[in-house]
Amino acid sequence: MTQRNENEMPMSYSNRFNLADARRVVAAAEEEATRHGWPMVIAVVDSGGHLVLQQRLDGAQLGSIHVARQKAETAVLFRRPTRVFEDAIAQGGLHLRLLGMNNLVPLDGGIPLIRDGAVVGAIGVSGMRSDQDALVAQAGADKLIAAEP
Amino acid sequence: MTQRNENEMPMSYSNRFNLADARRVVAAAEEEATRHGWPMVIAVVDSGGHLVLQQRLDGAQLGSIHVARQKAETAVLFRRPTRVFEDAIAQGGLHLRLLGMNNLVPLDGGIPLIRDGAVVGAIGVSGMRSDQDALVAQAGADKLIAAEP
Amino acid sequence: MTQRNENEMPMSYSNRFNLADARRVVAAAEEEATRHGWPMVIAVVDSGGHLVLQQRLDGAQLGSIHVARQKAETAVLFRRPTRVFEDAIAQGGLHLRLLGMNNLVPLDGGIPLIRDGAVVGAIGVSGMRSDQDALVAQAGADKLIAAEP
Amino acid sequence: MTQRNENEMPMSYSNRFNLADARRVVAAAEEEATRHGWPMVIAVVDSGGHLVLQQRLDGAQLGSIHVARQKAETAVLFRRPTRVFEDAIAQGGLHLRLLGMNNLVPLDGGIPLIRDGAVVGAIGVSGMRSDQDALVAQAGADKLIAAEP
């Protein structure tokens, strides 16, 4: 699998996450997207990879409906930002093996949602360039951390 | 296909529908579901059957994530409430042919969204008994009509 | 959806469940199956429907590998014993609509695993007649309850 | 296909393999994984590629549930360690044709189980870096050979 820091133990999963949390996350992401004038699809899944909330901003390309959700699922299934896989593929060589997997989408824009050091879900954004998608996803992910007491 | 009234011309499709409309519809449905204490999944698709907005209320069964969306898609694809297909299957005989289709889910709870006599999308609800799902979907569908000036 | 008692509020999901729990459940089911001389496949999924432990007893039919897992998934996705769906279909009429769903397998033998009143996963058994499968699944499910302090 | 030594005759398949064998193999792999503190998914299939035993150690990433099984299947279907395919892809060029196959996963961690010179199944491990997965898979595979009288 794509390298983590060797000393880094994988995070656990937690189901401490509800629709209100998802709404805060999506609202923050939507605000960022709207601020830039980017029409995007924003999806949030829980720690089991199941969809909690998804919305398509007006004008977003239809293909992003599936991709946003798949980025979120990938981020939960493999407990890391999907950027990691995109960067790996860019290096070519051995890393192209990722293309042989059918439960992983190697596009930036999917970010795990972390609470108390555990993965409670993930946000996935799609619609513009993947780094722009990721900027919006990060705005959403940051909101959850910001909400911690 | 399941019979319409012979004098009834099929409605046309229209794409006059946006995220703000979908939010109003979902909010009305959510209010109805919450009023009854029913944990449900609510999905809204556009006139092309593409997901605009979907949310899972806390406590809803996971299976309803797919079913809610499928009910909405069915209602748009065939331009009628999915109740029609459920009723047909209840009659047995020839109507069981519907079970041989793979783009139609014959469960009550999917209702087309109508604006100015055209189908602009559909709402699909799943989580409790199908007639309860339909009650909540109707509350959402009524909101769109009510919003017309 | 297939009827629950109208006064029965759906159970919540909980992720308080680990491999040790799954082993106890499967061991109890295996003991029951072996006692009867029934070669079966036993699968346990978590509250997100993800496989934790699956084993095929010697001599079990290959088709049961998929079916055992699907029964467990169905029991978690819809938070009830799969027997409910089998019984419904036996009644015919309206209940045949269940056959139009693609995330539900209507065969007895899948039972939710309950802890502290919440669904923590499910066991699915396949290999013999479905009521025999269910007997073995129940032996497994009972073990989790028995393990509660 | 990826080259074998030209003098090397492909091994035959044998079905001399049962659940007890699979348990020994998985237990050895689990012990190795636990020793390192690596949360992994371990899957064992028979010579027909059908799942015999699969378990997810606590804390393993959800994505590894599918990948472990796919590695085991690949190792049986093509009668070689999946490392061979990973190494091939690393060379690029012609070898990228492997990515056009849908019944082969080119990730290290899948190893055939050999008994009396025949392939009786395979073990697949996923959860950490692929070389770590392979280390654990090898510990399992070695157990079967070690168990021979």
Side-chain angles (χ1 to χ4, degrees), chain C residues 10-56:
Chain C
M11 258 180 277
S12 61
Y13 289 104
S14 157
N15 66 356
R16 272 195 58 216
F17 189 75
N18 59 23
L19 179 57
D21 293 321
R23 281 178 155 138
R24 273 195 296 272
V25 168
V26 170
E30 182 179 354
E31 193 188 329
E32 183 71 17
T34 303
R35 196 164 68 78
H36 290 275
W38 294 334
M40 290 167 153
V41 179
I42 304 163
V44 168
V45 299
D46 65 14
S47 59
H50 299 287
L51 193 66
V52 179
L53 177 61
Q54 176 162 331
Q55 62 191 40
R56 171 168 40 122

Side-chain angles (χ1 to χ4, degrees), chain A residues 1-6 8-13 46-49 73-74 76-80 85 92-104, chain D residues 36-39 56 59-67 70 86-87 89-92 96 99 101 104-108 126-133:
Chain A
M1 197 71 265
T2 307
Q3 303 262 65
R4 284 184 188 281
N5 179 323
E6 280 185 43
E8 187 180 316
M9 284 312 299
M11 258 180 278
S12 61
Y13 290 104
D46 64 15
S47 60
E73 288 169 353
T74 299
V76 162
L77 288 178
F78 297 98
R79 282 190 305 218
R80 68 203 81 182
F85 301 122
L94 173 68
H95 297 289
L96 296 183
R97 63 187 173 162
L98 295 176
L99 299 173
M101 296 172 68
N102 66 2
N103 64 342
L104 177 154
Chain D
H36 291 274
W38 294 334
R56 170 167 41 123
Q61 63 187 0
L62 296 178
S64 287
I65 295 170
H66 276 249
V67 177
Q70 289 172 324
E86 193 180 88
D87 288 347
I89 281 177
Q91 298 181 53
L96 297 186
L99 296 173
M101 297 171 69
L104 177 154
V105 156
L107 303 174
D108 196 3
S126 171
M128 299 295 286
R129 257 187 3 234
S130 64
D131 60 310
Q132 294 168 325
D133 297 337

